[in-house]
Amino acid sequence: MPWAGGADAGWAEADRASRALDFAGRDHHPLDIPADWRERFHLDDVDLVLLEIAASVERDPLLHLLLGLLSGDPGPGRPTTALALELAGVS
């Protein structure tokens, strides 16, 4: 299903981002974080989501592309701090 904002929202990369999201969502598997990391590194739920976002670009080339596009880059890229926080629901 295409992203609701799509090309109608005026974002030139909306179609590419929508296709990347569609394909990445099909095969996405959550990061298998060792059970003791939460306690050992004092991670809360937001920390775990941020870790998942940061690791996703290394694990999935389509998420690498999607996060680059969402960061305003013309191709694959790393999520900015602002984007990662927004995706984590913090800002």
Side-chain angles (χ1 to χ4, degrees), residues 47-63:
D47 294 328
L48 293 173
V49 171
L50 292 172
L51 182 59
E52 173 74 26
I53 292 166
S56 68
V57 299
E58 301 300 332
R59 298 174 14 166
D60 188 332
L62 291 170
L63 287 175

Side-chain angles (χ1 to χ4, degrees), residues 16-17 19-25 27 56-57 59-69 76:
R16 286 179 69 199
R19 285 192 307 272
L21 180 60
D22 286 345
F23 282 106
D27 296 325
S56 68
V57 299
R59 298 174 14 166
D60 188 332
L62 291 170
L63 287 175
H64 194 183
L65 172 62
L66 180 61
L67 289 173
L69 294 173

Side-chain angles (χ1 to χ4, degrees), residues 5-85:
D8 295 337
W11 183 35
E13 300 295 345
D15 289 335
R16 286 179 69 199
S18 181
R19 285 192 307 272
L21 180 60
D22 286 345
F23 282 106
R26 292 178 190 168
D27 296 325
H28 179 72
H29 303 286
L31 185 62
D32 187 20
I33 298 173
D36 67 333
W37 278 22
R38 181 184 285 270
E39 185 176 320
R40 181 187 301 180
F41 298 112
H42 307 285
L43 303 174
D44 61 20
D45 290 339
V46 172
D47 294 328
L48 293 173
V49 171
L50 292 172
L51 182 59
E52 173 74 26
I53 292 166
S56 68
V57 299
E58 301 300 332
R59 298 174 14 166
D60 188 332
L62 291 170
L63 287 175
H64 194 183
L65 172 62
L66 180 61
L67 289 173
L69 294 173
L70 289 173
S71 293
D73 296 331
R78 304 285 190 269
T80 62
T81 301
L83 176 60
L85 290 170

